[in-house]
Amino acid sequence: MSQTAYRTHHATEVDESLVGQQVTLAGWVDRRRDHGGVAFVDLRDASGLVQVVINDEEVARPLRSEFVIRVTGKVRLRPEGNENERLATGRIEVVAEHVEILAKSQALPFQVSTALENESENTLPGEDVRLKYRYLDLRRPSMQRNLKLRSDVSRAARRALDEMNFTEVETPTFIKSTPEGARDFVVPARLVPGSWYALPQSPQLLKQLLMVSGVERYYQLARCYRDEDFRADRQPEFTQLDMEMAYVDQEDVIAMAEQVIAAIWKAAGHEVQLPLPRISWTDAMNKYGSDKPDLRFGNELVDLTEYFAHTPFRVFQAEYVGAVVYSGAADLPRRQFDAWQDWARQRGAKGLAYVQFAEDGTLKGPVAKNLSDEEREGLMQATGAKPGDAVFFAAGAKESSQLLLGAVRVEIADRQGLLHPDEFAFTWVVDFPLFKRTDDPDDDDVAVGHSKWTSMHHPFTMPSADWIDRFDQDPEHAMSDSYDIVCNGQEMGGGSVRIHRDDIQDRVLNVLGIDAQEAEDKFGFLLEAFKYGAPPHAGIALGWDRTVSLLAGAESIRDVIAFPKAGGGRDPLTGAPAPISDEQRAETGVDYDPEEDE
């Protein structure tokens, strides 16, 4: 409903059907232009812009950008030749009869005018400034569109889940600390000195309890909290669309999630063809060097380990040798290949070996002279390269080498302009390992136990059927019933079949080095619940910030969050985190010493 105490219409509701009628509008002064005693003011509200004509110079003179005004006037067609086809209201204007200033604005720290959206002068300040004045940043049309998109797709997801008979249930924010692979944020319990709540990293155990409770189909747009080291697309607090189902297997969950994804994308104006493709974790690593492969383009990795099995080149005498082709790059200047070395070193690699195939097929580059004649002769065919291409190599431990080549593959595609944000390439990644090593220097997840193995997903993930009887005998190769949904090289969500049998759960915890007493202390309430009849259950969660950022074509998840945090979890807007007073600290009980009560 548009009509309120301050307006009769929103800006973009004023059209040719209202010509000759009086309207009252309210919003911000987007821009003011003076033309010989007549002022033209672009009035902006949540719907968009409309041009207001003010014939009284004295009325127009006080108006400045971002003043909040109310205008009453008559609608008329713009003079012929003055139409603005870029605006929804570009064929009409409102001739002001009364202008009231509702609120003034100080000089702006940066411009938010809609008129600057498509103009070169629209240069935004650094992110810290944008976040400090986030209420101004959010006035920009692109940010308004992002918030509206987030609202629209949330509504679409709820509608789709409602049609599949899901029940929305809220779970608590203050819980007990449980092992989920990251550090907890903890909150002191004033009424129980020396004790702490934890903010949930996810509703994992709670949604499993809902399955035991008989809520067979649950969902929630859940707030989650993880105290992780800062990365560009991480936030200490985030949202996930959490979904869990009883009496289902992996296929049931995937089918359900695809319906939700199709509904979400449709709400944003895109059609998704179902069913979505799948790839095993092993194939994803072997072909794309990533467990979240970007399939908007090809250019698969080439395994050359056997090809170089007897190489004289010491660098290639390794567990794994792989390559990726950079088409048309043979003629790049040496300085660009040197820059690739710096790029690789920034990712923890020693460098990036390469060769160039000249148009006549001649092999060039620093690696070429170290190869045997036979290796040089067959290398173009082995790598799938063509004359005029370059080829990058990685050699060493298999997984780290594949990850490096996977990053090279995406960087090449980016430089070739192949990463189109309005194209969406989905895939399910399935058949994940059940465990991973805790001594991986590139993995900053917190181990959930005390052995050399930790969970790839979480300790409540069901081993795959082929491994039920032997996963604890060979943890290195054990596989799980878990799955990720990937879009454009981003992990959009993940889930698994959950363990509902206490004998299997005990064996998993034993591999992780969690004894019975620790299990009882950390999540005994779940193990106790499983003694009273736990149905088979499985689920998935979609990272909501990332999902919306994919749909919005945003460079960062921060652009689809109303009030995000900056680096290190700082909030430039409110100044959080901030010290508390001595009185507050005393009240929290954080310094409680039980020995003083004895």
Side-chain angles (χ1 to χ4, degrees):
M1 184 177 70
S2 296
Q3 186 159 354
T4 68
Y6 285 91
R7 59 159 63 104
T8 60
H9 298 80
H10 276 99
T12 57
E13 293 173 334
V14 182
D15 57 24
E16 294 175 64
S17 68
L18 295 177
V19 169
Q21 297 184 36
Q22 187 180 78
V23 296
T24 299
L25 309 172
W28 283 283
V29 174
D30 191 82
R31 188 164 64 160
R32 191 192 82 192
R33 305 177 302 282
D34 295 313
H35 294 284
V38 177
F40 296 89
V41 169
D42 291 334
L43 183 144
R44 184 186 77 245
D45 62 21
S47 71
L49 288 178
V50 66
Q51 180 170 281
V52 175
V53 181
I54 303 176
N55 290 308
D56 189 333
E57 189 175 353
E58 293 302 315
V59 172
R61 183 178 292 114
L63 303 182
R64 298 289 184 271
S65 293
E66 300 309 302
F67 274 34
V68 182
I69 62 173
R70 179 167 60 176
V71 175
T72 298
K74 285 189 177 180
V75 181
R76 76 180 184 191
L77 290 174
R78 292 197 189 191
E80 188 174 349
N82 289 342
E83 299 89 348
N84 185 347
E85 298 301 332
R86 291 191 304 171
L87 283 182
T89 59
R91 298 180 63 82
I92 58 90
E93 58 192 11
V94 176
V95 181
E97 298 171 355
H98 178 73
V99 177
E100 178 184 0
I101 295 175
L102 301 176
K104 295 182 179 180
S105 171
Q106 295 184 14
L108 299 171
F110 57 92
Q111 292 298 313
V112 299
S113 171
T114 301
L116 301 180
E117 280 283 296
N118 296 310
E119 297 181 15
S120 59
E121 60 188 290
N122 186 19
T123 54
L124 290 173
E127 188 172 60
D128 267 16
V129 175
R130 287 178 58 200
L131 294 182
K132 180 178 180 180
Y133 299 98
R134 188 62 162 182
Y135 42 84
L136 293 178
D137 193 42
L138 289 176
R139 291 183 193 176
R140 298 190 298 113
S142 60
M143 299 301 292
Q144 290 282 312
R145 285 193 295 271
N146 288 349
L147 294 183
K148 180 65 165 57
L149 174 65
R150 186 171 182 133
S151 175
D152 290 344
V153 298
S154 296
R155 184 167 55 252
R158 282 191 164 96
R159 188 182 303 117
L161 289 163
D162 182 61
E163 291 172 354
M164 290 185 280
N165 298 316
F166 276 72
T167 301
E168 184 173 10
V169 182
E170 292 181 352
T171 54
T173 299
F174 285 1
I175 63 170
K176 186 176 183 179
S177 179
T178 57
E180 290 199 40
R183 297 172 186 83
D184 287 325
F185 284 105
V186 292
V187 180
R190 178 182 62 83
L191 298 178
V192 189
S195 296
W196 302 76
Y197 297 107
L199 303 183
Q201 295 180 31
S202 79
Q204 180 61 46
L205 303 191
L206 297 165
K207 65 187 177 186
Q208 290 190 253
L209 287 176
L210 287 172
M211 297 300 103
V212 180
S213 303
V215 182
E216 293 192 5
R217 295 191 167 205
Y218 140 93
Y219 83 94
Q220 177 184 192
L221 278 166
R223 296 293 283 169
C224 306
Y225 308 86
R226 295 183 183 179
D227 186 3
E228 299 176 297
D229 293 338
F230 178 74
R231 289 183 186 170
D233 261 20
R234 276 185 179 173
Q235 287 283 292
E237 52 183 335
F238 58 96
T239 303
Q240 66 184 38
L241 176 58
D242 211 39
M243 297 163 281
E244 196 81 6
M245 307 165 71
Y247 304 105
V248 296
D249 62 9
Q250 174 175 300
E251 295 303 314
D252 297 313
V253 175
I254 286 177
M256 175 276 296
E258 287 187 353
Q259 293 300 318
V260 174
I261 290 167
I264 291 168
W265 254 253
K266 186 173 183 178
H270 305 282
E271 292 294 329
V272 174
Q273 296 298 316
L274 301 180
L276 300 177
R278 299 187 191 186
I279 187 173
S280 70
W281 177 84
T282 300
D283 284 347
M285 293 298 296
N286 288 342
K287 293 181 177 181
Y288 304 107
S290 174
D291 60 3
K292 40 184 180 295
D294 194 329
L295 302 184
R296 285 175 291 180
F297 58 98
N299 201 19
E300 294 181 9
L301 274 55
V302 182
D303 189 336
L304 297 172
T305 308
E306 287 299 317
Y307 185 83
F308 288 112
H310 305 291
T311 184
F313 186 28
R314 185 178 56 82
V315 173
F316 285 0
Q317 295 169 0
E319 171 193 344
Y320 170 87
V321 183
V324 64
V325 176
Y326 190 174
S327 62
D331 292 334
L332 291 179
R334 176 65 181 267
R335 66 178 181 277
Q336 291 199 29
F337 284 105
D338 290 343
W340 274 99
Q341 308 310 307
D342 295 336
W343 179 93
R345 283 189 282 269
Q346 289 172 5
R347 284 154 180 77
K350 294 180 180 179
L352 197 58
Y354 68 92
V355 297
Q356 301 151 279
F357 292 100
E359 290 295 343
D360 62 1
T362 305
L363 190 62
K364 301 187 298 181
V367 169
K369 64 179 182 293
N370 295 291
L371 305 181
S372 67
D373 292 341
E374 183 181 0
E375 288 169 344
R376 285 195 293 269
E377 184 68 26
L379 191 57
M380 184 183 297
Q381 182 177 355
T383 59
K386 305 183 300 298
D389 292 347
V391 176
F392 287 116
F393 301 91
K398 183 174 183 179
E399 187 168 330
S400 60
S401 298
Q402 287 178 333
L403 290 171
L404 175 60
L405 290 175
V408 171
R409 172 181 174 267
V410 174
E411 181 67 18
I412 290 172
D414 189 23
R415 297 185 185 198
Q416 293 177 329
L418 301 178
L419 304 184
H420 304 295
D422 55 349
E423 295 179 3
F424 303 101
F426 295 93
T427 188
W428 288 101
V429 179
V430 297
D431 302 329
F432 277 85
L434 183 60
F435 304 108
K436 60 182 179 179
R437 300 187 68 90
T438 57
D439 57 2
D440 184 350
D442 298 322
D443 187 353
D444 63 355
D445 284 345
V446 177
V448 297
H450 311 285
S451 78
K452 66 179 181 180
W453 301 106
T454 188
S455 297
M456 177 69 86
H457 278 71
H458 55 66
F460 313 105
T461 299
M462 181 71 84
S464 62
D466 293 342
W467 284 89
I468 285 288
D469 297 327
R470 57 193 177 100
F471 67 84
D472 44 354
Q473 300 167 28
D474 186 8
E476 182 177 1
H477 299 104
M479 306 300 286
S480 67
D481 277 348
S482 54
Y483 34 87
D484 283 353
I485 181 64
V486 173
C487 180
N488 294 2
Q490 298 288 325
E491 179 192 332
M492 203 170 83
S496 66
V497 176
R498 321 302 187 189
I499 298 172
H500 70 283
R501 286 171 41 188
D502 54 5
D503 60 322
I504 297 175
Q505 187 67 73
D506 288 345
R507 290 165 58 203
V508 168
L509 296 178
N510 185 57
V511 172
L512 299 175
I514 298 176
D515 61 27
Q517 184 58 55
E518 183 180 1
E520 178 63 30
D521 291 342
K522 289 187 173 179
F523 44 85
F525 58 90
L526 179 69
L527 302 180
E528 176 74 11
F530 280 3
K531 297 176 182 179
Y532 296 96
H537 56 286
I540 188 170
L542 300 181
W544 209 234
D545 309 306
R546 185 164 294 162
T547 297
V548 179
S549 69
L550 282 166
L551 281 166
E555 294 185 1
S556 165
I557 62 171
R558 293 189 289 276
D559 284 339
V560 298
I561 300 172
F563 299 104
K565 301 295 187 291
R570 297 175 300 105
D571 182 359
L573 175 65
T574 66
I580 58 175
S581 67
D582 292 341
E583 291 78 10
Q584 281 181 293
R585 184 183 178 95
E587 283 182 343
T588 65
V590 297
D591 300 314
Y592 172 73
D593 184 355
E595 294 182 359
E596 294 181 358
D597 287 345
E598 295 179 358

